[in-house]
Amino acid sequence: MYRPSLKSGWSLILLFIFSVILYLIAQSSYVTIKADNYEKKVEAATLMASFIDTLRAEQVRLGIPFDPIDDPDQTGLIGAARTTITTDRGSLSDKQAALNPNLAAIFVEEFSRAGLKAGDFIAVGITGSNPAVNLSLYAAIKAMELKPSIIVSLSSASYGANREEYTWLDMEAILKRRGLIDFGAAYASLGGKDDLGVGLSDDGIKALLAAMSRNGVDPLLGSTLEDNVKAREIAYAQLLPQGSRYKLFVNIGRGLANVGSEPNANQILEGMNRRLAEETFVPEGIMMVMARENVPVFSMQHAQRWIRRYNLQSTTGNMPEPGVGPAFSLKKHNVTVAAVCLVLLLAAIIAVIILDRHDRHFMSNIVDPDEEL
C-alpha cells in the first residue's frame, strides 16, 4: 500500500526555506570584540592625531613650507633630504609609514604586555630622525600616565626633524605650550657619529646648540661616545626620584649613545629585549648599561615592521582614522545567534519527523479498498 510522507511534500520545501533564512541570519550576524586596553589605545591614537593637527597648524603659522610630494598630508613631520643638521641617510618610506596615528596603540599594547602601569618611571632615548614615532610614543606615555625621563640625540637622518629652525625640541615645545603634554626631553646631545655630531658643519653644530638653548634643554657634550654614554647614565639617575626605579628603557631609532654602534643596532631585536645583559656589545650604549641594571629594554628602529606586524592600515592615500583597525577591535560571527539558529533548525527538523510519523500512523488506519476486495 502507498504510504504518503510529509518528507516529500510542502513540509520539506518549507523546511528548506526556513533553513536558508536561518543560515542568512547566522551568516550576517557579527559581534565586535574589543582588544585589551581598548580605551587607552583609542585615547593614544586620538592624541597622536591631535599632535599632528597642532603641529600642522603651527607650521602654517610659522610659514614653514610643506613638501607637497613627500608629505602630501601636510603633517610637517617629513623633513628635507639634506640640511646642515642631517647626519645620515634615512628611509623616507619608514618615516611616511610612521605618520599613522594608530602607531601609538602599538606602544600601549607593548607597554601593557611589559606590565607598565600608571605612575611607573621609564627612561627614554630618542633621536630627531623619526618625529612621528616620537609623537606616537609620547601619546602612549600620556594615555598610560607614565613618568618618562627623556634624552634626545637632536640631529636627524634625512627626512626627519632636520630643519634647523624646526628641530624635534621645537616640535616638543609647541605641544607643551598648547598643553598637550607636560613632559619632554630633559637633556639633548648632538647625535650623529659618536653622538658628537662628527661630520656636521660648524653651522650645523651651531644650529643644534641654538635649538637646545632656545628650548631650555641642557646639553650633554662629552669628548667621546663613552663620555656621552656615561653622562646619560648619570642624567637618568638624577632624573629618577630617590627610592624609585625605572620599569623600562625605551629606545627609538639608532642613536649611537643608546645602541653603542651600528653593528649593535643590527643585532638588537625589535621589541622587548629581556636578555640583553647576557650578550656582548662593543662599545656599549646606555641601553646595555640599563640592561645590566636589570631594567627591561624595549627598542623600535623600523616603524614599517611594526605597521605590518600589527596589520595597521597604510597611510598611502587617506590618513587612517584613529582607533579603527584590528589593533583596536575585531568583528567576529555572533556565536549566540548562530547557536539559536541551530536550535531552531533542529527543532524544525524534529517537528517534521514527528508530523511525518503521525501522518503515517493516520494513513495506516485507513482501510485500503483493494485489500477489502
Side-chain angles (χ1 to χ4, degrees), residues 330-368:
L330 289 173
K331 279 190 173 182
K332 294 184 176 180
H333 281 108
N334 192 321
V335 176
T336 303
V337 171
V340 170
C341 290
L342 178 62
V343 169
L344 291 175
L345 180 60
L346 292 174
I349 293 172
I350 292 171
V352 168
I353 293 173
I354 292 174
L355 289 173
D356 183 62
R357 291 183 62 185
H358 178 268
D359 189 69
R360 283 189 181 191
H361 179 72
F362 172 76
M363 294 302 296
S364 66
N365 293 329
I366 299 175
V367 177
D368 190 333

PDB file of all heavy atoms in Angstrom, residues 330-368:
ATOM      1  N   LEU A 330      37.937  43.640  16.627  1.00  0.00           N
ATOM      2  CA  LEU A 330      37.715  42.706  15.527  1.00  0.00           C
ATOM      3  C   LEU A 330      36.235  42.357  15.463  1.00  0.00           C
ATOM      4  O   LEU A 330      35.552  42.281  16.496  1.00  0.00           O
ATOM      5  CB  LEU A 330      38.519  41.418  15.747  1.00  0.00           C
ATOM      6  CG  LEU A 330      40.044  41.510  15.595  1.00  0.00           C
ATOM      7  CD1 LEU A 330      40.672  40.184  16.014  1.00  0.00           C
ATOM      8  CD2 LEU A 330      40.422  41.846  14.163  1.00  0.00           C
ATOM      9  N   LYS A 331      35.723  42.146  14.244  1.00  0.00           N
ATOM     10  CA  LYS A 331      34.355  41.683  14.069  1.00  0.00           C
ATOM     11  C   LYS A 331      34.377  40.174  13.859  1.00  0.00           C
ATOM     12  O   LYS A 331      35.081  39.677  12.982  1.00  0.00           O
ATOM     13  CB  LYS A 331      33.698  42.370  12.876  1.00  0.00           C
ATOM     14  CG  LYS A 331      33.171  43.758  13.178  1.00  0.00           C
ATOM     15  CD  LYS A 331      32.320  44.283  12.035  1.00  0.00           C
ATOM     16  CE  LYS A 331      31.661  45.601  12.428  1.00  0.00           C
ATOM     17  NZ  LYS A 331      30.796  46.113  11.348  1.00  0.00           N
ATOM     18  N   LYS A 332      33.603  39.466  14.684  1.00  0.00           N
ATOM     19  CA  LYS A 332      33.505  38.018  14.545  1.00  0.00           C
ATOM     20  C   LYS A 332      32.037  37.619  14.462  1.00  0.00           C
ATOM     21  O   LYS A 332      31.159  38.354  14.925  1.00  0.00           O
ATOM     22  CB  LYS A 332      34.167  37.320  15.744  1.00  0.00           C
ATOM     23  CG  LYS A 332      35.676  37.537  15.822  1.00  0.00           C
ATOM     24  CD  LYS A 332      36.276  36.736  16.961  1.00  0.00           C
ATOM     25  CE  LYS A 332      37.800  36.886  16.963  1.00  0.00           C
ATOM     26  NZ  LYS A 332      38.425  36.116  18.059  1.00  0.00           N
ATOM     27  N   HIS A 333      31.784  36.434  13.877  1.00  0.00           N
ATOM     28  CA  HIS A 333      30.410  35.963  13.805  1.00  0.00           C
ATOM     29  C   HIS A 333      29.837  35.791  15.204  1.00  0.00           C
ATOM     30  O   HIS A 333      30.527  35.353  16.131  1.00  0.00           O
ATOM     31  CB  HIS A 333      30.353  34.632  13.050  1.00  0.00           C
ATOM     32  CG  HIS A 333      30.426  34.803  11.569  1.00  0.00           C
ATOM     33  ND1 HIS A 333      31.538  34.462  10.820  1.00  0.00           N
ATOM     34  CD2 HIS A 333      29.533  35.305  10.671  1.00  0.00           C
ATOM     35  CE1 HIS A 333      31.321  34.734   9.545  1.00  0.00           C
ATOM     36  NE2 HIS A 333      30.120  35.248   9.426  1.00  0.00           N
ATOM     37  N   ASN A 334      28.573  36.160  15.347  1.00  0.00           N
ATOM     38  CA  ASN A 334      27.913  36.085  16.643  1.00  0.00           C
ATOM     39  C   ASN A 334      27.572  34.630  16.949  1.00  0.00           C
ATOM     40  O   ASN A 334      26.650  34.050  16.346  1.00  0.00           O
ATOM     41  CB  ASN A 334      26.648  36.950  16.627  1.00  0.00           C
ATOM     42  CG  ASN A 334      26.099  37.149  18.016  1.00  0.00           C
ATOM     43  OD1 ASN A 334      26.114  36.238  18.832  1.00  0.00           O
ATOM     44  ND2 ASN A 334      25.612  38.346  18.281  1.00  0.00           N
ATOM     45  N   VAL A 335      28.303  34.030  17.867  1.00  0.00           N
ATOM     46  CA  VAL A 335      28.121  32.620  18.193  1.00  0.00           C
ATOM     47  C   VAL A 335      26.751  32.378  18.821  1.00  0.00           C
ATOM     48  O   VAL A 335      26.111  31.345  18.581  1.00  0.00           O
ATOM     49  CB  VAL A 335      29.245  32.149  19.149  1.00  0.00           C
ATOM     50  CG1 VAL A 335      29.022  30.700  19.569  1.00  0.00           C
ATOM     51  CG2 VAL A 335      30.600  32.298  18.478  1.00  0.00           C
ATOM     52  N   THR A 336      26.273  33.325  19.604  1.00  0.00           N
ATOM     53  CA  THR A 336      24.963  33.169  20.259  1.00  0.00           C
ATOM     54  C   THR A 336      23.846  33.083  19.222  1.00  0.00           C
ATOM     55  O   THR A 336      22.968  32.203  19.299  1.00  0.00           O
ATOM     56  CB  THR A 336      24.704  34.360  21.203  1.00  0.00           C
ATOM     57  OG1 THR A 336      25.759  34.441  22.157  1.00  0.00           O
ATOM     58  CG2 THR A 336      23.372  34.197  21.912  1.00  0.00           C
ATOM     59  N   VAL A 337      23.894  33.996  18.242  1.00  0.00           N
ATOM     60  CA  VAL A 337      22.880  33.983  17.192  1.00  0.00           C
ATOM     61  C   VAL A 337      22.968  32.681  16.393  1.00  0.00           C
ATOM     62  O   VAL A 337      21.943  32.063  16.068  1.00  0.00           O
ATOM     63  CB  VAL A 337      23.054  35.205  16.257  1.00  0.00           C
ATOM     64  CG1 VAL A 337      22.137  35.084  15.046  1.00  0.00           C
ATOM     65  CG2 VAL A 337      22.764  36.488  17.013  1.00  0.00           C
ATOM     66  N   ALA A 338      24.195  32.246  16.084  1.00  0.00           N
ATOM     67  CA  ALA A 338      24.368  31.002  15.327  1.00  0.00           C
ATOM     68  C   ALA A 338      23.820  29.807  16.108  1.00  0.00           C
ATOM     69  O   ALA A 338      23.181  28.907  15.529  1.00  0.00           O
ATOM     70  CB  ALA A 338      25.843  30.801  15.000  1.00  0.00           C
ATOM     71  N   ALA A 339      24.042  29.797  17.436  1.00  0.00           N
ATOM     72  CA  ALA A 339      23.552  28.691  18.259  1.00  0.00           C
ATOM     73  C   ALA A 339      22.024  28.671  18.288  1.00  0.00           C
ATOM     74  O   ALA A 339      21.398  27.599  18.209  1.00  0.00           O
ATOM     75  CB  ALA A 339      24.105  28.820  19.678  1.00  0.00           C
ATOM     76  N   VAL A 340      21.400  29.850  18.407  1.00  0.00           N
ATOM     77  CA  VAL A 340      19.930  29.930  18.408  1.00  0.00           C
ATOM     78  C   VAL A 340      19.367  29.433  17.074  1.00  0.00           C
ATOM     79  O   VAL A 340      18.376  28.684  17.037  1.00  0.00           O
ATOM     80  CB  VAL A 340      19.482  31.381  18.676  1.00  0.00           C
ATOM     81  CG1 VAL A 340      17.971  31.526  18.446  1.00  0.00           C
ATOM     82  CG2 VAL A 340      19.837  31.794  20.094  1.00  0.00           C
ATOM     83  N   CYS A 341      20.023  29.838  15.976  1.00  0.00           N
ATOM     84  CA  CYS A 341      19.573  29.384  14.652  1.00  0.00           C
ATOM     85  C   CYS A 341      19.679  27.872  14.538  1.00  0.00           C
ATOM     86  O   CYS A 341      18.801  27.211  13.963  1.00  0.00           O
ATOM     87  CB  CYS A 341      20.399  30.062  13.564  1.00  0.00           C
ATOM     88  SG  CYS A 341      20.068  31.827  13.381  1.00  0.00           S
ATOM     89  N   LEU A 342      20.742  27.297  15.086  1.00  0.00           N
ATOM     90  CA  LEU A 342      20.924  25.850  15.025  1.00  0.00           C
ATOM     91  C   LEU A 342      19.829  25.125  15.810  1.00  0.00           C
ATOM     92  O   LEU A 342      19.270  24.125  15.348  1.00  0.00           O
ATOM     93  CB  LEU A 342      22.310  25.489  15.579  1.00  0.00           C
ATOM     94  CG  LEU A 342      22.634  23.992  15.640  1.00  0.00           C
ATOM     95  CD1 LEU A 342      22.623  23.382  14.239  1.00  0.00           C
ATOM     96  CD2 LEU A 342      23.993  23.755  16.313  1.00  0.00           C
ATOM     97  N   VAL A 343      19.528  25.680  16.987  1.00  0.00           N
ATOM     98  CA  VAL A 343      18.472  25.059  17.813  1.00  0.00           C
ATOM     99  C   VAL A 343      17.125  25.111  17.090  1.00  0.00           C
ATOM    100  O   VAL A 343      16.362  24.135  17.076  1.00  0.00           O
ATOM    101  CB  VAL A 343      18.391  25.783  19.173  1.00  0.00           C
ATOM    102  CG1 VAL A 343      17.146  25.345  19.938  1.00  0.00           C
ATOM    103  CG2 VAL A 343      19.637  25.504  19.995  1.00  0.00           C
ATOM    104  N   LEU A 344      16.842  26.272  16.473  1.00  0.00           N
ATOM    105  CA  LEU A 344      15.574  26.406  15.742  1.00  0.00           C
ATOM    106  C   LEU A 344      15.514  25.434  14.575  1.00  0.00           C
ATOM    107  O   LEU A 344      14.454  24.832  14.301  1.00  0.00           O
ATOM    108  CB  LEU A 344      15.421  27.846  15.237  1.00  0.00           C
ATOM    109  CG  LEU A 344      15.188  28.911  16.317  1.00  0.00           C
ATOM    110  CD1 LEU A 344      15.173  30.308  15.687  1.00  0.00           C
ATOM    111  CD2 LEU A 344      13.884  28.650  17.055  1.00  0.00           C
ATOM    112  N   LEU A 345      16.643  25.246  13.887  1.00  0.00           N
ATOM    113  CA  LEU A 345      16.668  24.320  12.755  1.00  0.00           C
ATOM    114  C   LEU A 345      16.450  22.887  13.221  1.00  0.00           C
ATOM    115  O   LEU A 345      15.677  22.128  12.608  1.00  0.00           O
ATOM    116  CB  LEU A 345      18.007  24.453  12.007  1.00  0.00           C
ATOM    117  CG  LEU A 345      18.180  23.532  10.796  1.00  0.00           C
ATOM    118  CD1 LEU A 345      17.093  23.799   9.753  1.00  0.00           C
ATOM    119  CD2 LEU A 345      19.562  23.703  10.183  1.00  0.00           C
ATOM    120  N   LEU A 346      17.114  22.497  14.306  1.00  0.00           N
ATOM    121  CA  LEU A 346      16.936  21.144  14.840  1.00  0.00           C
ATOM    122  C   LEU A 346      15.489  20.923  15.270  1.00  0.00           C
ATOM    123  O   LEU A 346      14.915  19.847  15.041  1.00  0.00           O
ATOM    124  CB  LEU A 346      17.893  20.915  16.015  1.00  0.00           C
ATOM    125  CG  LEU A 346      19.380  20.849  15.663  1.00  0.00           C
ATOM    126  CD1 LEU A 346      20.221  20.767  16.938  1.00  0.00           C
ATOM    127  CD2 LEU A 346      19.663  19.653  14.761  1.00  0.00           C
ATOM    128  N   ALA A 347      14.901  21.955  15.910  1.00  0.00           N
ATOM    129  CA  ALA A 347      13.500  21.845  16.338  1.00  0.00           C
ATOM    130  C   ALA A 347      12.581  21.672  15.139  1.00  0.00           C
ATOM    131  O   ALA A 347      11.622  20.878  15.171  1.00  0.00           O
ATOM    132  CB  ALA A 347      13.108  23.089  17.138  1.00  0.00           C
ATOM    133  N   ALA A 348      12.868  22.390  14.065  1.00  0.00           N
ATOM    134  CA  ALA A 348      12.043  22.282  12.863  1.00  0.00           C
ATOM    135  C   ALA A 348      12.158  20.895  12.250  1.00  0.00           C
ATOM    136  O   ALA A 348      11.157  20.296  11.818  1.00  0.00           O
ATOM    137  CB  ALA A 348      12.461  23.345  11.846  1.00  0.00           C
ATOM    138  N   ILE A 349      13.384  20.355  12.219  1.00  0.00           N
ATOM    139  CA  ILE A 349      13.581  19.011  11.664  1.00  0.00           C
ATOM    140  C   ILE A 349      12.838  17.966  12.487  1.00  0.00           C
ATOM    141  O   ILE A 349      12.166  17.068  11.962  1.00  0.00           O
ATOM    142  CB  ILE A 349      15.089  18.688  11.599  1.00  0.00           C
ATOM    143  CG1 ILE A 349      15.777  19.595  10.566  1.00  0.00           C
ATOM    144  CG2 ILE A 349      15.311  17.220  11.258  1.00  0.00           C
ATOM    145  CD1 ILE A 349      17.288  19.480  10.561  1.00  0.00           C
ATOM    146  N   ILE A 350      12.948  18.093  13.829  1.00  0.00           N
ATOM    147  CA  ILE A 350      12.263  17.149  14.718  1.00  0.00           C
ATOM    148  C   ILE A 350      10.752  17.236  14.532  1.00  0.00           C
ATOM    149  O   ILE A 350      10.032  16.225  14.503  1.00  0.00           O
ATOM    150  CB  ILE A 350      12.649  17.427  16.186  1.00  0.00           C
ATOM    151  CG1 ILE A 350      14.127  17.083  16.394  1.00  0.00           C
ATOM    152  CG2 ILE A 350      11.768  16.635  17.140  1.00  0.00           C
ATOM    153  CD1 ILE A 350      14.665  17.512  17.737  1.00  0.00           C
ATOM    154  N   ALA A 351      10.245  18.485  14.375  1.00  0.00           N
ATOM    155  CA  ALA A 351       8.805  18.663  14.163  1.00  0.00           C
ATOM    156  C   ALA A 351       8.351  17.985  12.886  1.00  0.00           C
ATOM    157  O   ALA A 351       7.288  17.339  12.844  1.00  0.00           O
ATOM    158  CB  ALA A 351       8.484  20.162  14.123  1.00  0.00           C
ATOM    159  N   VAL A 352       9.151  18.088  11.843  1.00  0.00           N
ATOM    160  CA  VAL A 352       8.797  17.456  10.569  1.00  0.00           C
ATOM    161  C   VAL A 352       8.756  15.945  10.729  1.00  0.00           C
ATOM    162  O   VAL A 352       7.847  15.265  10.235  1.00  0.00           O
ATOM    163  CB  VAL A 352       9.806  17.867   9.480  1.00  0.00           C
ATOM    164  CG1 VAL A 352       9.633  16.989   8.244  1.00  0.00           C
ATOM    165  CG2 VAL A 352       9.615  19.325   9.120  1.00  0.00           C
ATOM    166  N   ILE A 353       9.748  15.392  11.446  1.00  0.00           N
ATOM    167  CA  ILE A 353       9.794  13.938  11.647  1.00  0.00           C
ATOM    168  C   ILE A 353       8.562  13.461  12.421  1.00  0.00           C
ATOM    169  O   ILE A 353       7.920  12.469  12.081  1.00  0.00           O
ATOM    170  CB  ILE A 353      11.084  13.554  12.387  1.00  0.00           C
ATOM    171  CG1 ILE A 353      12.295  13.826  11.484  1.00  0.00           C
ATOM    172  CG2 ILE A 353      11.047  12.090  12.817  1.00  0.00           C
ATOM    173  CD1 ILE A 353      13.621  13.648  12.174  1.00  0.00           C
ATOM    174  N   ILE A 354       8.222  14.221  13.501  1.00  0.00           N
ATOM    175  CA  ILE A 354       7.067  13.811  14.322  1.00  0.00           C
ATOM    176  C   ILE A 354       5.776  13.884  13.510  1.00  0.00           C
ATOM    177  O   ILE A 354       4.945  12.966  13.536  1.00  0.00           O
ATOM    178  CB  ILE A 354       6.974  14.728  15.567  1.00  0.00           C
ATOM    179  CG1 ILE A 354       8.162  14.450  16.499  1.00  0.00           C
ATOM    180  CG2 ILE A 354       5.659  14.503  16.297  1.00  0.00           C
ATOM    181  CD1 ILE A 354       8.242  15.395  17.684  1.00  0.00           C
ATOM    182  N   LEU A 355       5.627  14.967  12.769  1.00  0.00           N
ATOM    183  CA  LEU A 355       4.419  15.101  11.957  1.00  0.00           C
ATOM    184  C   LEU A 355       4.356  14.008  10.893  1.00  0.00           C
ATOM    185  O   LEU A 355       3.294  13.470  10.585  1.00  0.00           O
ATOM    186  CB  LEU A 355       4.396  16.488  11.295  1.00  0.00           C
ATOM    187  CG  LEU A 355       4.136  17.663  12.247  1.00  0.00           C
ATOM    188  CD1 LEU A 355       4.301  18.986  11.507  1.00  0.00           C
ATOM    189  CD2 LEU A 355       2.741  17.555  12.862  1.00  0.00           C
ATOM    190  N   ASP A 356       5.513  13.673  10.362  1.00  0.00           N
ATOM    191  CA  ASP A 356       5.547  12.626   9.344  1.00  0.00           C
ATOM    192  C   ASP A 356       5.130  11.283   9.923  1.00  0.00           C
ATOM    193  O   ASP A 356       4.337  10.541   9.324  1.00  0.00           O
ATOM    194  CB  ASP A 356       6.963  12.550   8.765  1.00  0.00           C
ATOM    195  CG  ASP A 356       7.046  11.535   7.644  1.00  0.00           C
ATOM    196  OD1 ASP A 356       6.358  11.739   6.637  1.00  0.00           O
ATOM    197  OD2 ASP A 356       7.783  10.541   7.804  1.00  0.00           O
ATOM    198  N   ARG A 357       5.631  10.988  11.117  1.00  0.00           N
ATOM    199  CA  ARG A 357       5.268   9.722  11.756  1.00  0.00           C
ATOM    200  C   ARG A 357       3.777   9.694  12.092  1.00  0.00           C
ATOM    201  O   ARG A 357       3.101   8.690  11.938  1.00  0.00           O
ATOM    202  CB  ARG A 357       6.093   9.537  13.041  1.00  0.00           C
ATOM    203  CG  ARG A 357       7.569   9.289  12.763  1.00  0.00           C
ATOM    204  CD  ARG A 357       8.318   9.035  14.025  1.00  0.00           C
ATOM    205  NE  ARG A 357       7.835   7.830  14.699  1.00  0.00           N
ATOM    206  CZ  ARG A 357       8.264   7.436  15.889  1.00  0.00           C
ATOM    207  NH1 ARG A 357       9.164   8.152  16.538  1.00  0.00           N
ATOM    208  NH2 ARG A 357       7.786   6.343  16.441  1.00  0.00           N
ATOM    209  N   HIS A 358       3.282  10.867  12.580  1.00  0.00           N
ATOM    210  CA  HIS A 358       1.856  10.945  12.903  1.00  0.00           C
ATOM    211  C   HIS A 358       1.014  10.709  11.665  1.00  0.00           C
ATOM    212  O   HIS A 358       0.013   9.997  11.674  1.00  0.00           O
ATOM    213  CB  HIS A 358       1.540  12.318  13.506  1.00  0.00           C
ATOM    214  CG  HIS A 358       0.073  12.504  13.815  1.00  0.00           C
ATOM    215  ND1 HIS A 358      -0.807  13.061  12.903  1.00  0.00           N
ATOM    216  CD2 HIS A 358      -0.652  12.185  14.911  1.00  0.00           C
ATOM    217  CE1 HIS A 358      -2.019  13.091  13.430  1.00  0.00           C
ATOM    218  NE2 HIS A 358      -1.946  12.562  14.669  1.00  0.00           N
ATOM    219  N   ASP A 359       1.470  11.281  10.538  1.00  0.00           N
ATOM    220  CA  ASP A 359       0.711  11.120   9.294  1.00  0.00           C
ATOM    221  C   ASP A 359       0.735   9.666   8.829  1.00  0.00           C
ATOM    222  O   ASP A 359      -0.259   9.122   8.361  1.00  0.00           O
ATOM    223  CB  ASP A 359       1.304  12.031   8.227  1.00  0.00           C
ATOM    224  CG  ASP A 359       0.431  12.068   6.985  1.00  0.00           C
ATOM    225  OD1 ASP A 359      -0.670  12.631   7.087  1.00  0.00           O
ATOM    226  OD2 ASP A 359       0.844  11.520   5.962  1.00  0.00           O
ATOM    227  N   ARG A 360       1.895   9.039   8.981  1.00  0.00           N
ATOM    228  CA  ARG A 360       1.993   7.630   8.581  1.00  0.00           C
ATOM    229  C   ARG A 360       1.042   6.757   9.416  1.00  0.00           C
ATOM    230  O   ARG A 360       0.374   5.872   8.918  1.00  0.00           O
ATOM    231  CB  ARG A 360       3.421   7.131   8.796  1.00  0.00           C
ATOM    232  CG  ARG A 360       4.387   7.591   7.728  1.00  0.00           C
ATOM    233  CD  ARG A 360       5.680   6.883   7.910  1.00  0.00           C
ATOM    234  NE  ARG A 360       6.657   7.303   6.935  1.00  0.00           N
ATOM    235  CZ  ARG A 360       7.809   6.684   6.746  1.00  0.00           C
ATOM    236  NH1 ARG A 360       8.069   5.613   7.477  1.00  0.00           N
ATOM    237  NH2 ARG A 360       8.652   7.104   5.854  1.00  0.00           N
ATOM    238  N   HIS A 361       1.034   7.064  10.749  1.00  0.00           N
ATOM    239  CA  HIS A 361       0.151   6.298  11.633  1.00  0.00           C
ATOM    240  C   HIS A 361      -1.312   6.490  11.246  1.00  0.00           C
ATOM    241  O   HIS A 361      -2.103   5.570  11.217  1.00  0.00           O
ATOM    242  CB  HIS A 361       0.376   6.752  13.091  1.00  0.00           C
ATOM    243  CG  HIS A 361      -0.512   6.028  14.066  1.00  0.00           C
ATOM    244  ND1 HIS A 361      -0.319   4.685  14.398  1.00  0.00           N
ATOM    245  CD2 HIS A 361      -1.585   6.435  14.782  1.00  0.00           C
ATOM    246  CE1 HIS A 361      -1.247   4.321  15.264  1.00  0.00           C
ATOM    247  NE2 HIS A 361      -2.038   5.364  15.517  1.00  0.00           N
ATOM    248  N   PHE A 362      -1.661   7.720  10.891  1.00  0.00           N
ATOM    249  CA  PHE A 362      -3.029   8.022  10.482  1.00  0.00           C
ATOM    250  C   PHE A 362      -3.396   7.251   9.211  1.00  0.00           C
ATOM    251  O   PHE A 362      -4.461   6.648   9.105  1.00  0.00           O
ATOM    252  CB  PHE A 362      -3.175   9.526  10.259  1.00  0.00           C
ATOM    253  CG  PHE A 362      -4.491   9.932   9.666  1.00  0.00           C
ATOM    254  CD1 PHE A 362      -5.641   9.962  10.450  1.00  0.00           C
ATOM    255  CD2 PHE A 362      -4.587  10.258   8.319  1.00  0.00           C
ATOM    256  CE1 PHE A 362      -6.854  10.322   9.897  1.00  0.00           C
ATOM    257  CE2 PHE A 362      -5.802  10.609   7.771  1.00  0.00           C
ATOM    258  CZ  PHE A 362      -6.952  10.644   8.560  1.00  0.00           C
ATOM    259  N   MET A 363      -2.496   7.264   8.250  1.00  0.00           N
ATOM    260  CA  MET A 363      -2.783   6.608   6.979  1.00  0.00           C
ATOM    261  C   MET A 363      -2.840   5.100   7.131  1.00  0.00           C
ATOM    262  O   MET A 363      -3.549   4.400   6.398  1.00  0.00           O
ATOM    263  CB  MET A 363      -1.700   6.984   5.951  1.00  0.00           C
ATOM    264  CG  MET A 363      -1.717   8.470   5.566  1.00  0.00           C
ATOM    265  SD  MET A 363      -3.296   9.022   4.895  1.00  0.00           S
ATOM    266  CE  MET A 363      -3.370   8.032   3.399  1.00  0.00           C
ATOM    267  N   SER A 364      -2.081   4.558   8.123  1.00  0.00           N
ATOM    268  CA  SER A 364      -2.097   3.096   8.299  1.00  0.00           C
ATOM    269  C   SER A 364      -3.431   2.595   8.807  1.00  0.00           C
ATOM    270  O   SER A 364      -3.767   1.413   8.666  1.00  0.00           O
ATOM    271  CB  SER A 364      -0.991   2.692   9.280  1.00  0.00           C
ATOM    272  OG  SER A 364      -1.274   3.217  10.573  1.00  0.00           O
ATOM    273  N   ASN A 365      -4.227   3.489   9.424  1.00  0.00           N
ATOM    274  CA  ASN A 365      -5.543   3.071   9.946  1.00  0.00           C
ATOM    275  C   ASN A 365      -6.638   3.147   8.897  1.00  0.00           C
ATOM    276  O   ASN A 365      -7.775   2.781   9.160  1.00  0.00           O
ATOM    277  CB  ASN A 365      -5.938   3.968  11.128  1.00  0.00           C
ATOM    278  CG  ASN A 365      -5.017   3.753  12.314  1.00  0.00           C
ATOM    279  OD1 ASN A 365      -4.499   2.633  12.503  1.00  0.00           O
ATOM    280  ND2 ASN A 365      -4.809   4.788  13.102  1.00  0.00           N
ATOM    281  N   ILE A 366      -6.305   3.642   7.706  1.00  0.00           N
ATOM    282  CA  ILE A 366      -7.300   3.718   6.641  1.00  0.00           C
ATOM    283  C   ILE A 366      -7.353   2.380   5.901  1.00  0.00           C
ATOM    284  O   ILE A 366      -6.312   1.839   5.527  1.00  0.00           O
ATOM    285  CB  ILE A 366      -6.982   4.855   5.660  1.00  0.00           C
ATOM    286  CG1 ILE A 366      -7.001   6.209   6.416  1.00  0.00           C
ATOM    287  CG2 ILE A 366      -7.954   4.877   4.505  1.00  0.00           C
ATOM    288  CD1 ILE A 366      -6.573   7.374   5.558  1.00  0.00           C
ATOM    289  N   VAL A 367      -8.516   1.868   5.728  1.00  0.00           N
ATOM    290  CA  VAL A 367      -8.660   0.567   5.068  1.00  0.00           C
ATOM    291  C   VAL A 367      -8.481   0.737   3.563  1.00  0.00           C
ATOM    292  O   VAL A 367      -9.091   1.603   2.946  1.00  0.00           O
ATOM    293  CB  VAL A 367     -10.055  -0.030   5.331  1.00  0.00           C
ATOM    294  CG1 VAL A 367     -10.230  -1.338   4.575  1.00  0.00           C
ATOM    295  CG2 VAL A 367     -10.243  -0.230   6.809  1.00  0.00           C
ATOM    296  N   ASP A 368      -7.608  -0.058   3.011  1.00  0.00           N
ATOM    297  CA  ASP A 368      -7.354   0.003   1.569  1.00  0.00           C
ATOM    298  C   ASP A 368      -8.466  -0.723   0.826  1.00  0.00           C
ATOM    299  O   ASP A 368      -8.718  -1.921   1.069  1.00  0.00           O
ATOM    300  CB  ASP A 368      -6.022  -0.681   1.261  1.00  0.00           C
ATOM    301  CG  ASP A 368      -5.607  -0.427  -0.172  1.00  0.00           C
ATOM    302  OD1 ASP A 368      -6.474  -0.206  -1.017  1.00  0.00           O
ATOM    303  OD2 ASP A 368      -4.382  -0.456  -0.428  1.00  0.00           O
TER     304      ASP A 368
END
